[in-house]
Amino acid sequence: GLSPSRDSNITPSPEELAAGTSELRAANKNLNRVARRLFAKGDFQASRGALELIVDQDPGAWEAMINLGIVPLRLEDPAAAAGQFRQSILVAGDRKVPFAHFMLGDSLYRVELFEEAEQELRRSLSFEPQNAVAHILLGNIAGKTNRFDDAEFHYQEAIAQNPNLFEPYVNLAIINLRKGKKDEARKFYQRYLAKGGQARPPLERRLIK
């Protein structure tokens, strides 16, 4: 039978190829914009559809893959989100993508795979040391595994990076209370309230005793 010759003489010129690629990029840019708008409106399924179109057309679109992971995370499906973030890291290859590692760490944390979550969060911090929320999550993991000195270190780091987050203050209050340092604990709790944290009556009762 006739088979098309492999060395067909219809090869696009580099200019045509570049034009085709940039048209695809432009189309994907528009789709990304649409996906963002739908996401902001809370229409996560439609947003997912637009992002899947991008990835279908361009299997190397790791940014769209990261966004595809955020959709199931918002739909309370962290396991599916973790799969997407892993894929985006794989496709990004040698590029450093701290946000993807952070989001993967966050997803793994939510499904209580603490050891893997810790690895990914540390990886994200090696690229982006100023991520205060990564430190909070690492502090939470350390607290859950009874490494209170580690937890304290990470909460202090989180405060150093972003003093306006209130979560590290309440966690430091709890750790200090466990250590029997009630005065320290009270100070951290006061700072937590001053930053806009919700009152926690059970903790307050223990701080007053």
Side-chain angles (χ1 to χ4, degrees):
L2 280 173
S3 64
S5 97
R6 279 179 182 272
D7 47 12
S8 149
N9 53 11
I10 315 171
T11 53
S13 70
E15 290 75 29
E16 284 171 325
L17 204 61
T21 314
S22 69
E23 271 170 39
L24 177 63
R25 291 231 173 89
N28 284 348
K29 216 173 193 171
N30 287 335
L31 272 171
N32 249 319
R33 212 172 288 129
V34 169
R36 265 201 296 275
R37 208 171 297 136
L38 289 164
F39 188 87
K41 276 187 180 163
D43 195 342
F44 302 129
Q45 298 297 1
S47 177
R48 177 187 274 160
L51 291 163
E52 280 170 349
L53 267 175
I54 296 173
V55 175
D56 283 347
Q57 290 176 359
D58 178 5
W62 54 270
E63 292 110 321
M65 286 176 193
I66 293 177
N67 291 335
L68 260 176
I70 294 170
V71 173
L73 207 55
R74 288 297 293 269
L75 294 168
E76 306 296 324
D77 188 355
Q84 285 292 351
F85 296 130
R86 273 191 215 283
Q87 188 60 22
S88 71
I89 291 165
L90 213 62
V91 171
D94 291 338
R95 294 181 191 87
K96 293 179 173 66
V97 193
F99 183 63
H101 288 288
F102 168 70
M103 293 307 293
L104 177 54
D106 185 5
S107 306
L108 292 167
Y109 172 77
R110 293 179 197 217
V111 292
E112 301 192 353
L113 291 171
F114 297 133
E115 215 170 299
E116 287 176 64
E118 189 165 346
Q119 282 173 1
E120 292 302 328
L121 292 165
R122 287 187 187 282
R123 207 162 283 151
S124 82
L125 280 170
S126 72
F127 304 135
E128 197 176 45
Q130 66 277 27
N131 183 343
V133 182
H135 279 294
I136 292 177
L137 292 178
L138 283 168
N140 293 353
I141 291 169
K144 284 175 191 295
T145 49
N146 297 321
R147 291 175 289 136
F148 297 115
D149 287 348
D150 277 359
E152 202 164 354
F153 165 78
H154 284 296
Y155 295 138
Q156 293 285 11
E157 273 299 302
I159 289 168
Q161 298 301 340
N162 184 352
N164 296 317
L165 294 170
F166 51 74
E167 202 178 341
Y169 296 102
V170 73
N171 291 335
L172 284 165
I174 292 163
I175 288 173
N176 277 284
L177 191 60
R178 291 184 94 137
K179 287 182 167 180
K181 297 180 177 174
K182 208 172 262 189
D183 288 345
E184 279 295 294
R186 273 195 211 105
K187 275 181 211 155
F188 279 117
Y189 185 68
Q190 288 306 325
R191 287 171 76 187
Y192 160 75
L193 292 176
K195 298 284 174 190
Q198 293 281 312
R200 300 202 179 181
L203 179 58
E204 281 179 14
R205 282 194 290 277
R206 289 177 62 197
L207 288 169
I208 292 160
K209 271 182 192 171

